[in-house]
Amino acid sequence: MAFNLAKSALNILSSPGDKLEARITDSGNKVLKFASGDGSMKASRTEYPNGTIHETRTYRR
């Protein structure tokens, strides 16, 4: 699941300074974070071992 989101995120890594981080924590959480280089958007997604998914997105005008 996180791989699909990461694959989609690669399409928006087009500006200098854009950052994408994907990792699996010691407790088994799958974490994906994106931040645009100009600071206009941040997004994160955490998938917990029990199947719960938590997503946040922050936009600046």
Side-chain angles (χ1 to χ4, degrees):
M1 181 66 83
F3 176 76
N4 291 337
L5 186 57
K7 187 176 176 183
S8 298
L10 290 175
N11 293 329
I12 59 175
L13 290 175
S14 58
S15 300
D18 288 353
K19 295 180 184 179
L20 179 65
E21 174 190 343
R23 63 191 176 101
I24 299 177
T25 66
D26 292 337
S27 58
N29 299 341
K30 297 175 185 176
V31 179
L32 183 65
K33 295 181 181 181
F34 170 78
S36 63
D38 62 3
S40 63
M41 188 189 64
K42 293 191 305 186
S44 67
R45 173 188 167 111
T46 303
E47 184 176 337
Y48 298 94
N50 67 4
T52 301
I53 297 172
H54 182 250
E55 294 183 340
T56 61
R57 294 176 192 224
T58 304
Y59 299 93
R60 184 170 29 151
R61 294 179 192 221

